[in-house]
Amino acid sequence: MKFFIDTANLDEIREMNDLGIVDGVTTNPSIIAREGKDLKQTLIQICEMVNGPVSGEVLALDTEGMVKEGVEISKWHPNMVVKIPLTQAGIGAVAQLSKMGIKTNVTTVYSASQALLAAKVGATYVSPFVGRSDDVLMDGMRMLRDICEVYRVQGIKTQVLAASMRTPTYVVEAARAGADVATIPYATMKKMFWHPMTDVSIDDFMKDWKNAMGDAKIL
Ligand code: E4P
């Protein structure tokens, strides 16, 4: 499974990208607003840092506006993916952008029927929001599993991008469901490294070494 990072903070992206664990980046208007910087400049800087798809979301809510903004965003860098919300107007925009060969990420998806519509109009990615589904007492992981299964049965090429990943367990369950990508917030990505027994084990090794070998070093 690919890992995208769900942030527009350049320090967070750089830290994880330098480790070699970032395959792409997703943003949305809230994420960009959090950084308080220019949308275009921020997205271009991200594209220059990460060698992979970078999603930038349109602000218009009507089909014509979304298509115009999508065409503009797609010109900013070859790695740009145009993020479009799943509404009737959004599906109309994705249909047009697909015909122009522009890559799209259909976002704010909460059901398998919505995911089928995104696939029908040739979306490159579909983004089911798992955490936000759980927030309103829906079973987000079940929704993700449904989408993965329906896509598998139908041989659909649109990639499933598991979004709104709140904890490392979400990422593991998205991988188990067969999602192509998980887009992971920085805080969740940091937690993926950690296990209490890893710290305890390293501490044991270092104590044993010091007790027997003192200050002996490799270099
Ligand atoms: C996806 O692309 C969205 O940016 C994101 O995953 C939304 O998740 P949130 O619930 O963490 O805001």
Side-chain angles (χ1 to χ4, degrees), residues 43-178:
L43 289 172
I44 292 172
Q45 281 176 320
I46 295 172
C47 286
E48 285 168 354
M49 191 184 293
V50 175
N51 186 21
V54 175
S55 287
E57 188 159 342
V58 296
L59 296 173
L61 295 176
D62 62 298
T63 301
E64 195 189 337
M66 285 195 251
V67 171
K68 279 188 185 150
E69 290 181 0
V71 169
E72 172 63 20
I73 290 171
S74 74
K75 289 180 187 156
W76 293 346
H77 192 279
N79 286 350
M80 280 309 307
V81 175
V82 179
K83 212 170 176 190
I84 306 267
L86 201 150
T87 56
Q88 188 169 328
I91 288 298
V94 174
Q96 292 188 41
L97 292 166
S98 297
K99 281 188 193 132
M100 296 176 212
I102 292 172
K103 292 201 168 99
T104 54
N105 173 359
V106 175
T107 188
T108 58
V109 167
Y110 290 89
S111 73
S113 63
Q114 290 181 319
L116 280 171
L117 289 168
K120 176 65 79 184
V121 290
T124 315
Y125 300 97
V126 68
S127 290
F129 277 30
V130 180
R132 288 189 189 222
S133 293
D134 292 350
D135 286 346
V136 293
L137 304 180
M138 287 160 51
D139 185 343
M141 210 47 79
R142 183 175 173 178
M143 179 259 303
L144 178 67
R145 280 196 299 272
D146 275 355
I147 293 171
C148 289
E149 185 184 353
V150 165
Y151 272 27
R152 194 169 49 245
V153 168
Q154 293 293 324
I156 285 168
K157 298 276 183 293
T158 299
Q159 295 181 57
V160 179
L161 200 171
S164 196
M165 300 274 97
R166 297 276 162 83
T167 67
T169 305
Y170 278 64
V171 180
V172 173
E173 289 307 312
R176 198 193 310 281

